[in-house]
Amino acid sequence: MSVKLAILFYSTYGTNHAMAEIAAEAARAAGAEVRVLRIAETAPEAVVNAQDGWKAAAAAQAAIPVATPEDMEWANAYLFSAPTRFGSAPSQLRAFIDTLGGQWFTGKLANKAVSAMTSAQNAHGGQEATLLGLYTSFLHWGSIIVAPGYTDASIFAAGGNPYGYSHTQGTDLDDKAKAAIGHQAKRLVEMAAKLA
């Protein structure tokens, strides 16, 4: 069975969108069928439009399909990418997770490989707490967490977060970042293939 990977992202200013695309490229190179899906915006349009960066990112992402519970059933692996909001996943992502009760209750999220990435404004802005909080939800689903751990030198070079790639705003998604994201995506695909 081939790996069908859903890469689900929420991105206020474009960082997590870019991270999702880097991961998608690496996952496809590793042999996965990939769907890049955005988490629906729940903030009022007036709020989004009041911030130029947020408005521009929303426009750039508008053509990307919105994630649905059906996508979660289709996939046999998941990679989530979303910014930190006060040390947790943003409400938009939490709202999507809250729509998955039917899939959870019927076991359609169980035994599937999952990993996560995040970003924050500063290096200690809650990235690890965000990832661990998401992993708590995934444990409830019965999914199999595939964190990067310290399984590749790229993890150390990009900041050393064993829970998942975490990006600090104001820095480029440089070659070190791309290598760490790529390794995480490839590891996820490899583990998902073993589970499948």
Side-chain angles (χ1 to χ4, degrees), residues 68-106:
T68 67
E70 291 74 24
D71 291 310
M72 300 295 284
E73 291 185 33
W74 166 83
N76 58 12
Y78 312 121
L79 178 59
F80 287 83
S81 189
T84 290
R85 290 290 181 270
F86 305 106
S88 185
S91 62
Q92 293 85 347
L93 179 52
R94 296 303 321 176
F96 174 71
I97 288 171
D98 287 346
T99 70
L100 301 175
Q103 285 70 30
W104 162 78
F105 187 74
T106 55

Side-chain angles (χ1 to χ4, degrees), residues 87-161:
S88 185
S91 62
Q92 293 85 347
L93 179 52
R94 296 303 321 176
F96 174 71
I97 288 171
D98 287 346
T99 70
L100 301 175
Q103 285 70 30
W104 162 78
F105 187 74
T106 55
K108 292 178 181 162
L109 306 175
N111 304 320
K112 297 182 179 185
V114 63
S115 199
M117 307 182 295
T118 191
S119 65
Q121 186 173 359
N122 56 2
H124 301 286
Q127 292 102 319
E128 290 182 0
T130 297
L131 295 172
L132 293 172
L134 284 170
Y135 290 163
T136 300
S137 294
F138 306 156
L139 289 169
H140 280 252
W141 296 351
S143 296
I144 310 300
I145 295 170
V146 180
Y150 292 115
T151 58
D152 191 80
S154 64
I155 306 304
F156 292 99
N161 190 337

